[in-house]
Amino acid sequence: RLARESGLYGQGVYFTDQSCKSLQYSGANCGHTGCFIVARVILGHPSNAVGPLKSLRVEPLVDETNPCKGRCHSVIAQPGIPNGNGLQKQVHREFVLFDGAQAYPEMVVHFKIS
């Protein structure tokens, strides 16, 4: 999904490899239909988030002390990192891309929760 400006790990396109997190993104709830988009994603040289990155609008720098080293290609949020909500931690693995060309949608899976 494309994050709002207040996206937890930046204003990018969010992906996960965990169906339970995809269900949260789908907007579906009991008695309603939803869909997943199964996609191939190129993470390239990722940056591992250590907490919220809400102000991020583009890929983070590889080295903040030396911008000449370029930018990372994505952000990975691993389970267990602080999520900025009190003492709560990130539960699911999430991948954030800032260039939609790094994702190739392969299929759409429609489902209904009963």
Side-chain angles (χ1 to χ4, degrees):
R1 80 178 164 88
L2 178 62
R4 300 177 302 275
E5 285 188 27
S6 61
L8 191 58
Y9 301 107
Q11 191 175 4
V13 184
Y14 283 61
F15 295 87
T16 183
D17 59 352
Q18 298 173 309
S19 60
C20 50
K21 185 63 180 180
S22 294
L23 178 63
Q24 293 173 2
Y25 284 156
S26 75
N29 54 29
C30 191
H32 293 92
T33 60
C35 67
F36 296 154
I37 299 173
V38 178
R40 291 181 189 239
V41 180
I42 299 171
L43 299 176
H45 178 77
S47 172
N48 287 297
V50 294
L53 300 166
K54 291 186 178 190
S55 63
L56 204 58
R57 301 288 178 261
V58 296
E59 301 90 341
L61 293 169
V62 170
D63 181 350
E64 291 193 22
T65 64
N66 186 354
C68 294
K69 291 185 179 180
R71 295 189 173 275
C72 295
H73 302 116
S74 60
V75 170
I76 299 175
Q78 296 285 1
I81 64 171
N83 71 1
N85 192 6
L87 297 176
Q88 293 184 5
K89 304 280 186 187
Q90 178 74 16
V91 176
H92 301 94
R93 184 173 33 254
E94 298 185 62
F95 311 101
V96 185
L97 304 179
F98 298 88
D99 179 356
Q102 290 174 241
Y104 177 79
E106 290 198 90
M107 73 174 85
V108 177
V109 178
H110 294 272
F111 62 92
K112 181 176 182 177
I113 298 176
S114 52

